Amino acid sequence: MLKLFNTLTGRQDVFEPIEPRKVRMYVCGVTVYDYCHIGHARSALVFDVLRRYLEYTGHAVTFVKNFTDVDDKIIKRAHEQGVSCEAVTQKFIQAYHDDMGKLGVRQASIEPKATEHMAEIIELTGTLLKKGLAYQVDGDVYFNVTKYPGYGSLSKRKLEDLQAGARVEIDERKHHPMDFALWKSSKPGEPAWESPWGPGRPGWHIECSAMSVRHLGETFDIHGGGMDLIFPHHENEIAQSCGASGKEFARYWVHNGFVQINKEKMSKSLGNFFTIREIFEKSDWSEEVTGEILRYFLLSTQYHGPLDFSDQALKEAKSALNGFYDLFGRLAEPGGNAMPDQGLDRSIEHCRATFRAAMDDDLNTPAAIAALQGLRSDANKLLGHGLSTEGRQRVREEFQSLGDSLGLFQVNLDKKWQFKKEIVGAGAVQAGATTVTGIGTVVTPLSDAFIETRITERNEARRNKDFIKGDEIRKELAAHGILIEDKPDGTSRWKR
RNA sequence: GGCGCCGUACCCAAGUGGUAAGGGAGCAGUCUGCAAAACUGCGAUGCAGCGGUUCGAACCCGCUCGGCGCCUCCA
């Protein structure tokens, strides 16, 4: 039974979907005016995992994640670069899909854009005006927070408190400083849509209310996003949606914590952010391996708390993953005996149960990963005693299946996993000799066939106790980033 | 000023009333021609500090110290 920390109630609530076995969830995506950083990656990954886990536990999930493609920052960016807003948004939506794809984040079921929902936005604004919850000033329409009694219930704030500290620019036309724009009249040169209040564009919050109703209905199960969206964005969404429909909006509000750098929030204003593509570009590892490292790192802390990003953290994630992939490599080898696999069932069952208990406990991914580590340890011991081919297959499948809800272990990386950095430039060696090439020379990756041949030669030499030659071949391959592991039966396995 | 979060070993990180998971790093050992991997063992008598509640607290309460977030665009 899944429990989720619900910002609305301030505690963990047992998750029960409105319709059994069906989940409707909406997550606030990004404003597409720039490349995404790790903070965006964490948020996307957290809700991707929530969706995967709900599916793993037998739910049909309708997952809506929007793109905000009308916004001041987009207009500004387009202006700076002398291109259209569409050019900016198209570029960064594409970049979003590229970056998140590399991270193994699946696309949402529906990814609506604000600009494609103008009719709904205008209609909703009209409804709020009709109901007296909004008012018009010149070409602008504002939501009247004092007319909505529940205002502040999500963020646990009182209007009076907000007034006291808010450094809001005083806009004389607003009835209350916290009133927010539903519709903004457009200045010349800005994107504009026709409306009953004149040409303009929607405020930030209204799009999510309009798009969620359109795609999920007035009341749905889960609404998510980053911590920083609790106020004012989600508070305002609730006011708009509940105000208009008179019904409950989203039942469970889930918010992820921030990625930090040296204990400080990663943000553009502090200039301490790393974009996802920057990390992939700078990585010593292939794209697939880097994606896996990042996922493991981002899931190594429970989603609700802060997470500190560092090179060391990434290295630790890599080392931990090496252990799994070492095991996967061995599991792919043929089994040693046909004896009943003693204790295998119990290990798998235990892992499955602890994994689910961890995930049910508010998506406790670090504890879930610990369960996987437990199975890794058990499997290594079982292999030591000789595990049948079928048993190996079953363990591998279990990792595949549980890993799927975390987005881990998915690609068949058994042979693509990199244990060693590719040697570039220094210490390159030619077959059979020890010629060092100059710095900056890129070593051509060795073909599998060549590696196999050399290993056969080496093992022949070892049989003849010619360890000098054996070690030479090991060195030669090592210079190309190939690690040889000798097995007790005189044969060897290798990895890159 | 208002609201809120956090402080667990060298590092990361679970645990939220019953006597400290897991990973990384390290050390020692087994195996091995060597190496790697794997396995085994070692590692916080204590969970920022001080009080209190309790048979019993890292977990509950109070205070103190330290770090951070939101209240303004923000995942």
Side-chain angles (χ1 to χ4, degrees), chain A residues 9 35 93 130 141-142 154 165 184 198 211 215 225 233 262 270 276 280 311 325 349 355 392 400 408 452 454:
Chain A
T9 58
Y35 293 113
I93 286 172
K130 247 177 263 154
V141 181
Y142 289 100
L154 181 74
K184 298 164 150 178
M211 291 190 280
H215 297 287
H233 186 53
N262 293 323
L270 287 166
I276 298 171
F280 274 94
D311 281 346
Y325 281 92
E349 277 311 313
F355 182 92
R392 290 163 193 244
Q400 195 94 20
L408 290 173
E452 308 279 4
R454 293 299 280 162

Side-chain angles (χ1 to χ4, degrees), chain A residues 374-393:
Chain A
L375 181 59
R376 181 180 77 92
S377 169
D378 287 351
N380 273 324
K381 280 172 221 166
L382 287 163
L383 280 174
H385 301 135
L387 196 56
S388 69
T389 303
E390 194 223 330
R392 290 163 193 244
Q393 186 68 23

Side-chain angles (χ1 to χ4, degrees), chain A residues 87-102:
Chain A
V88 172
T89 59
Q90 262 179 30
K91 175 180 172 183
F92 290 112
I93 286 172
Q94 184 60 49
Y96 183 92
H97 283 138
D98 289 348
D99 293 348
M100 295 305 174
K102 284 183 204 162

Side-chain angles (χ1 to χ4, degrees), chain A residues 197-345:
Chain A
W197 319 285
R201 57 197 161 93
W204 176 32
H205 318 293
I206 193 76
E207 60 173 271
C208 288
S209 289
M211 291 190 280
S212 57
V213 177
R214 160 75 194 283
H215 297 287
L216 295 174
E218 286 173 327
T219 306
F220 53 95
D221 298 296
I222 299 171
H223 193 127
M227 285 284 202
D228 45 0
L229 296 183
I230 295 172
F231 191 91
H233 186 53
H234 288 164
E235 196 68 64
N236 292 353
E237 273 187 54
I238 292 174
Q240 294 163 164
S241 296
C242 296
S245 72
K247 293 179 189 152
E248 193 181 9
F249 184 35
R251 315 219 318 187
Y252 299 88
W253 288 82
V254 179
H255 294 99
N256 64 279
F258 296 124
V259 175
Q260 309 181 321
I261 302 286
N262 293 323
K263 311 280 183 199
E264 275 187 326
K265 178 183 172 180
M266 181 184 284
S267 74
K268 303 229 162 156
S269 50
L270 287 166
N272 62 346
F273 65 93
F274 295 88
T275 63
I276 298 171
R277 53 187 53 203
E278 192 180 350
I279 290 167
F280 274 94
E281 277 161 19
K282 285 185 185 161
S283 174
D284 291 321
W285 313 102
S286 70
E287 194 172 294
E288 281 168 306
V289 172
T290 304
E292 187 86 340
I293 293 170
L294 278 170
R295 279 196 296 276
Y296 191 96
F297 160 69
L298 290 168
L299 296 174
S300 66
T301 299
Q302 207 262 354
Y303 77 88
H304 205 250
L307 171 58
D308 226 73
F309 179 78
S310 68
D311 281 346
Q312 198 205 330
L314 255 29
K315 276 186 191 135
E316 289 184 5
K318 176 65 170 64
S319 298
L321 282 165
N322 279 347
F324 283 108
Y325 281 92
D326 257 317
L327 171 63
F328 298 160
R330 266 167 279 134
L331 289 173
E333 293 169 1
N337 67 17
M339 297 282 287
D341 296 318
Q342 279 277 308
L344 180 62
D345 290 331

Side-chain angles (χ1 to χ4, degrees), chain A residues 476-491:
Chain A
E476 171 205 331
L477 294 182
H480 286 80
I482 308 298
L483 280 178
I484 300 172
E485 289 178 14
D486 296 330
K487 295 195 274 188
D489 63 2
T491 62

